[in-house]
Amino acid sequence: MLTGSQLMNPSHVFILASQSLFAEGVQSLLSGQPGIEVVGVAAVSSDVFDHMRAADPDVVIVEAKGEEQSHLVARTLESIPGVKVIGLSLEDNRIHTYYQQMKQGRCVEDLLEAVRGPMDWRSRSPEKLRLFVFFQGRYGKRILENVRHSSPEAWTVESWRAPSGLPPVVDDPAPFLPMHLPAADLVLSLVESSSAAQLLPNVVERIGARAVIAPVDNVAWLPEGLALQLRVWLTQLGVTAVFPKPFCSLTENCYNVRQQEVSFEDPWIGEFAHRFGRPIFKIECAEDDLSGRMQIAKVEVVRDTACGCAQDVARRLVGVDVRDAVIQAGLLHHHYPCLATMRVDPGLGEPLIQVAGNFMRQAVEVEIAPYI
């Protein structure tokens, strides 16, 4: 049953279709429905997005096949940020609701529900982040547990463990995904196989995420070519994606190191990276009464590593002589143990575990410099 608010403030719908007969059919269907007002109908053309912006719709229905649909959805989201986009495919009768949980529908009622559904993402704040962790193995489990334990109370953290034994090439992800996934703003991908990484676009699409963090702590899990392909697919969905290598290179506006550093701007990733990523400490030192040497008296973790290593290092540094603190930070990081690979990365010329250790040592060094 429709509420009074829905009747007084109907959803304004724009129909974009590759087939004119289909567009006319959808317009005829929706025009007679309470709480829905069709404000535009158009075929795909070079100036259609100008007409779409002028119509100022709340909902855009896109009818197209495969990659063409993904392209049109991405262009629509880019043209009208915050609009709800419903993708229809006549090949399999699927209904995809972008920026909300994806629902599969095969009847008129499913389409009407998708059009009338809530549009709460317009008022959502990154401080109330809905995080979805897509993980495998002990690597992903450790990070999930630390993030869940240390995240702000305003965050919601949901997770799903990807299946093992996936085929090398996943042509159809549907059989390997659960029927229902929770809606989320940001996906954190912590899988340990390239096969599972291939499921990422479909996971993102189903939960309506706006951003993705897919760290590369082991290139065997996410090869460079696959990462580039994922970036293209996610961009077509209107989703921001970052691939920090290693994970602890992530900050609020960049990731990676040296010549490979990449800048980005995204409120959802920025909110996560404010709490987890490249370690930052606030260290206080004091003179020991017995030895007279300067020691570390207090360590506050301003930004933890996603795996929790920074918290562990901080606890163990208290009481350490400041002259030994940098070396000790590196050793403590290594023995946590860090989960980044010990293999030499071709692009960086050194193991990722060493790059991660450098971040930990630098975070300590910058804080104790005034005491040395």
Side-chain angles (χ1 to χ4, degrees):
M1 181 179 294
L2 298 182
T3 65
S5 175
Q6 287 176 307
L7 292 173
M8 293 177 61
N9 301 289
S11 295
H12 294 162
V13 180
F14 190 98
I15 302 168
L16 174 60
S18 62
Q19 301 183 39
S20 58
L21 287 177
F22 175 85
E24 292 173 5
V26 174
Q27 181 182 19
S28 176
L29 166 67
L30 297 182
S31 296
Q33 296 294 329
I36 298 175
E37 179 182 345
V38 177
V39 295
V41 180
V44 178
S45 64
S46 59
D47 59 352
V48 68
F49 296 100
D50 293 330
H51 295 312
M52 189 184 296
R53 279 192 295 269
D56 191 26
D58 302 309
V59 181
V60 175
I61 296 176
V62 175
E63 179 274 314
K65 298 178 181 179
E67 292 186 3
E68 182 186 7
Q69 184 184 110
S70 297
H71 173 71
L72 292 174
V73 168
R75 286 289 307 276
T76 300
L77 294 172
E78 180 181 354
S79 300
I80 312 177
V83 73
K84 179 194 291 186
V85 181
I86 299 172
L88 300 182
S89 173
L90 298 184
E91 294 177 312
D92 56 8
N93 293 325
R94 274 180 147 184
I95 296 174
H96 299 252
T97 308
Y98 294 83
Y99 280 8
Q100 276 285 25
Q101 185 176 3
M102 189 194 83
K103 297 181 180 179
Q104 296 185 16
R106 299 181 182 277
C107 61
V108 169
E109 287 73 15
D110 294 324
L111 175 59
L112 298 180
E113 180 188 351
V115 172
R116 291 173 176 146
M119 304 179 67
D120 64 333
W121 61 84
R122 292 189 175 188
S123 59
R124 287 196 53 75
S125 167
E127 286 75 18
K128 296 182 179 179
L129 176 67
R130 295 176 302 177
L131 177 66
F132 181 82
V133 182
F134 171 43
F135 76 102
Q136 283 180 315
R138 70 185 187 96
Y139 164 85
K141 185 178 180 181
R142 173 188 283 181
I143 293 175
L144 169 62
E145 290 175 349
N146 183 60
V147 170
R148 180 171 280 156
H149 177 266
S150 305
S151 61
E153 290 185 3
W155 287 17
T156 301
V157 182
E158 302 282 356
S159 64
W160 176 62
R161 184 190 290 270
S164 58
L166 292 168
V169 178
V170 183
D171 293 319
D172 182 12
F176 305 105
L177 297 176
M179 289 298 296
H180 300 287
L181 290 172
D185 307 302
L186 172 65
V187 171
L188 175 57
S189 177
L190 303 173
V191 294
E192 299 183 21
S193 70
S194 59
S195 297
Q198 295 172 54
L199 301 178
L200 183 57
N202 292 82
V203 170
V204 171
E205 192 175 32
R206 286 201 177 193
I207 68 176
R210 313 179 199 189
V212 169
I213 300 174
V216 185
D217 282 330
N218 190 328
V219 292
W221 299 343
L222 186 57
E224 183 177 353
L226 178 57
L228 291 173
Q229 193 172 19
L230 289 173
R231 186 190 299 278
V232 172
W233 289 340
L234 293 168
T235 299
Q236 290 176 343
L237 294 175
V239 174
T240 303
V242 299
F243 301 85
K245 183 171 68 171
F247 196 172
C248 54
S249 69
L250 180 66
T251 74
E252 292 96 330
N253 51 33
C254 69
Y255 60 95
N256 292 1
V257 293
R258 300 193 290 275
Q259 72 275 12
Q260 294 188 14
E261 185 174 279
V262 178
S263 299
F264 70 92
E265 184 176 351
D266 183 86
W268 308 101
I269 300 174
E271 170 66 15
F272 180 90
H274 181 68
R275 307 280 180 171
F276 304 100
R278 191 175 301 184
I280 300 176
F281 297 119
K282 184 177 180 180
I283 297 177
E284 296 179 11
C285 299
E287 189 175 287
D288 181 62
D289 294 335
L290 296 177
S291 66
R293 293 180 177 179
M294 193 66 68
Q295 295 182 341
I296 293 181
K298 181 180 178 181
V299 184
E300 176 188 346
V301 179
V302 179
R303 176 165 58 209
D304 192 8
T305 49
C307 65
C309 183
Q311 291 284 357
D312 187 71
V313 171
R315 287 191 296 269
R316 298 174 185 273
L317 278 180
V318 175
V320 172
D321 190 310
V322 291
R323 294 172 297 181
D324 302 326
V326 174
I327 294 176
Q328 283 298 314
L331 291 173
L332 292 170
H333 165 270
H334 183 78
H335 292 296
Y336 179 61
C338 175
L339 297 175
T341 181
M342 298 183 71
R343 294 182 180 179
V344 175
D345 182 79
L348 296 173
E350 59 182 320
L352 290 181
I353 190 172
Q354 184 172 317
V355 177
N358 289 339
F359 287 129
M360 193 66 67
R361 288 187 288 270
Q362 291 164 7
V364 173
E365 186 174 24
V366 72
E367 283 294 301
I368 67 171
Y371 298 99
I372 296 179

